[in-house]
Each structure stands twice: as structure tokens, then as C-alpha cells.
Amino acid sequence: HDNPYSLCFYIYLHKKENQESSSIQQGGEKNKACMTAKIGILPQLRTQLIFPLSYLDNQNIFMQRYPRQLKGMIHGNRMEIPDISEIAIGFSPCDSTYTSKLEINEIYFSKELPAPLPPVEKPYVDELGQWNLRDWPGKTHSPEELRKNFEVMEKAATQAHYPSAWSQYGGCLDKRFNPTGFFRTHHDGKRWWMVDPEGYAFLSVGVDCIRDNTSCPVDNDKDLFSWLPDSTNALFKPAFTISKRGTAGVDFFRSNLIKVYGNDWKRKWDDVTPGMLRMWSINTIANWSDIAMARKADIPYVYNM
């Protein structure tokens, strides 16, 4: 896949005509295939795509991560192998501004997993967790530059405030209802409003999943990385993760925080993050976020029920 961006690869499984049924994709779009697998592909990296036929039982949403494969998802209807009339493939770019080209070396069925591809000659991921084969505006080129970037960000976040036309909760000072001391809803006879505790109209602008972690699996792809934390180093222990499926991962976000702040990385993240949200005029910490940080942030937050 000799293109500058990632792409999504699709496997479409069709049933025989007398059994043909379409599946409904996310967003309500109909798909003529009975079952579809969608797998992410990295750019400029020879990759084996493995699709076990055991997935035809439709008991999985997320596919197992084989070497070099990105996240894979399955949707559709359950099938049996004799039901299959056709297998089609397709792909689409993750960026619509270019035309993708894909070279397929071979396609085959097998009762055994293929041998792994040979290790890459040049690492694809640098020591900060960034893609090694490209440069872009804002890319960090060294740990020293990383520290300077954090210093600038921390200073800006510490000095950040909401716009003067906002209440302390992020409500709009131009429109006020009866204050109750709680968030609530209000109907003015024409429409519903959200209202902050001081009675000001509140438009919730939020980002979900605000957390101090973003792990990536490394079990099968260690040759792609120029650096991984030392698993015996107690300082970097928080940067190692195990998924619910038992897959080992490394969190470069945490390892970068550790490189800058050492053992104090978590407290620093808790302190700086709310300031960054105020700097970007975000007035809600949305669902699946770090609830301990949210409770200290003095910013409205959503609690995962």
C-alpha cells in the first residue's frame, strides 16, 4: 500500500441468490453483502490480512489483531461456509483528497496461520510514538523539543480563562432563567433549554474520552518501533497496558508525560488538562473521561451511568 495515508480494506461475503439478505450498517446504510469485515491498513508497509472463517458465526464485533493489522470490525448476518456465493474486496482512503492504489501479492485459503513477514529494515514509529516515514507541521523531533512544547502548553493552560461573556460554568450571560443551584432543563413556551446552576442558558460543548491514556498494541509488531519503554523500569510501569483480550500494549502518551514530569506525571496531567479545555472554550467533560480529574476540574462533566 504505497500511499501517504492509511486506508480501510473491506471483505464482502455474499450469500447464494436464494438466501441473499442485506445487512444494515451504522447510519442506516444498506449493504448487499451478508457480512462485511473492515480492517485498517498502515501506509507503505507490507501487511498480511488474515480473516478467520470462524467469524462467520457473527459472535464478534472486533477482530483479533494480527501482526501489522490495524483495528478490524465485523458487521452483518451470521453465515455458514456453504452459504457463501461470492467474496469481494474493496478499499477506501482515510483521506478523500487522493486516489489509493493497492498491490495484492496473493490471496488464498489455509488451515494454518501464515508465517510472519520478515522484520522491517527501518522502524516505522519513533521514540515519541510518531510515524517515522513522514514529517508535518507541529511534529516533535526530540525529547528536548517535547519538554519545551509541554512548558509552553502548561504556561498557556495555567493562564486560560473562559470568555468574559460566559458564566463560571460556561453558560451564556446574555440569557438567564431562574437559578436553582443545579443544572436543569427549562421550556420557555417555544423550546427547551439547558440551564446552568446560576440560571444562565447553557450550550454544552464537550469532548468525550478525556483521559491520560491512549495505548497501542505492540505484541506482534515490536519491529516497527525504534524505542519501547523498559518493562523492568518502575518509572515506566504506568505506560504498559494489558487489554481485556490479554494483548500487551504501550502507551506513548503516558511515556511522553513520564519523560517530561517523571513520577509527577499524573498530577501534572490532572492540573493542566482543565486549563487546556478552557483555552479551547470547551465547557463540558463528556462521557468516558477520567472522572477523578473531572471532579477536581471545576468544569461541568458527564457521569457514565
Side-chain angles (χ1 to χ4, degrees):
H1 163 42
D2 194 17
N3 301 290
Y5 300 99
S6 301
L7 60 74
C8 293
F9 189 90
Y10 298 88
I11 301 173
Y12 303 103
L13 296 119
H14 295 265
K15 274 191 172 184
K16 296 173 182 176
E17 287 186 10
N18 61 347
Q19 297 175 313
E20 191 69 42
S21 62
S22 62
S23 62
I24 304 297
Q25 297 187 26
Q26 188 174 8
E29 180 186 351
K30 283 190 176 182
N31 181 3
K32 291 183 179 180
C34 183
M35 179 176 285
T36 301
K38 177 181 179 181
I39 309 166
I41 306 296
L42 289 166
Q44 299 169 328
L45 177 67
R46 188 182 175 196
T47 303
Q48 291 175 330
L49 288 187
I50 300 171
F51 181 80
L53 291 179
S54 58
Y55 286 149
L56 295 177
D57 65 5
N58 201 26
Q59 297 301 301
N60 293 276
I61 297 174
F62 299 106
M63 298 174 61
Q64 180 178 340
R65 295 284 288 264
Y66 292 100
R68 303 188 187 179
Q69 285 185 199
L70 295 179
K71 185 176 182 179
M73 298 182 66
I74 303 170
H75 57 81
N77 303 314
R78 180 173 179 165
M79 301 177 70
E80 300 285 349
I81 290 178
D83 297 337
I84 299 173
S85 64
E86 178 183 336
I87 299 176
I89 59 175
F91 57 91
S92 63
C94 294
D95 185 301
S96 60
T97 60
Y98 77 99
T99 301
S100 300
K101 292 183 179 180
L102 197 67
E103 179 180 336
I104 298 174
N105 185 52
E106 58 181 336
I107 301 176
Y108 61 92
F109 291 90
S110 173
K111 292 184 177 180
E112 299 178 353
L113 288 174
L117 294 170
V120 297
E121 295 180 0
K122 179 182 177 180
Y124 277 60
V125 182
D126 69 14
E127 61 181 315
L128 302 179
Q130 302 169 119
W131 196 240
N132 226 2
L133 305 188
R134 291 184 62 207
D135 205 353
W136 57 85
K139 184 176 183 179
T140 305
H141 297 92
S142 67
E144 293 73 25
E145 188 178 339
L146 178 73
R147 294 184 186 93
K148 291 179 181 178
N149 291 345
F150 268 90
E151 289 175 5
V152 172
M153 179 184 65
E154 185 178 349
K155 182 178 180 181
T158 303
Q159 299 171 350
H161 300 282
Y162 280 147
S164 58
W166 287 19
S167 74
Q168 64 171 315
Y169 298 100
C172 179
L173 297 180
D174 292 339
K175 192 171 190 65
R176 195 176 193 189
F177 304 101
N178 186 40
T180 64
F182 296 91
F183 281 94
R184 66 182 182 90
T185 56
H186 174 80
H187 194 269
D188 65 0
K190 292 184 178 179
R191 66 185 63 179
W192 285 97
W193 297 85
M194 290 180 68
V195 182
D196 77 11
E198 295 180 319
Y200 295 105
F202 183 80
L203 176 64
S204 175
V205 180
V207 178
D208 64 8
C209 304
I210 299 176
R211 299 190 293 249
D212 59 38
N213 62 299
T214 174
S215 181
C216 69
V218 298
D219 262 353
N220 299 318
D221 295 313
K222 291 182 180 179
D223 63 309
L224 302 184
F225 298 88
S226 63
W227 176 88
L228 291 171
D230 182 358
S231 60
T232 64
N233 187 333
L235 179 63
F236 284 97
K237 185 177 179 180
F240 287 89
T241 61
I242 299 292
S243 73
K244 294 178 181 178
R245 296 168 178 259
T247 304
V250 167
D251 194 318
F252 278 95
F253 183 39
R254 283 189 177 180
S255 71
N256 288 343
L257 286 167
I258 292 169
K259 287 177 181 178
V260 175
Y261 296 120
N263 285 317
D264 204 27
W265 68 272
K266 174 59 174 164
R267 184 187 67 81
K268 279 288 189 179
W269 183 84
D270 285 355
D271 292 344
V272 172
T273 300
M276 294 173 66
L277 298 178
R278 293 186 180 93
M279 185 167 60
W280 298 327
S281 296
I282 291 172
N283 66 4
T284 306
I285 298 173
N287 208 15
W288 307 294
S289 296
D290 186 321
I291 203 68
M293 176 276 296
R295 285 173 169 154
K296 298 184 293 184
D298 287 330
I299 295 176
Y301 63 89
V302 176
Y303 189 78
N304 187 0
M305 301 295 286

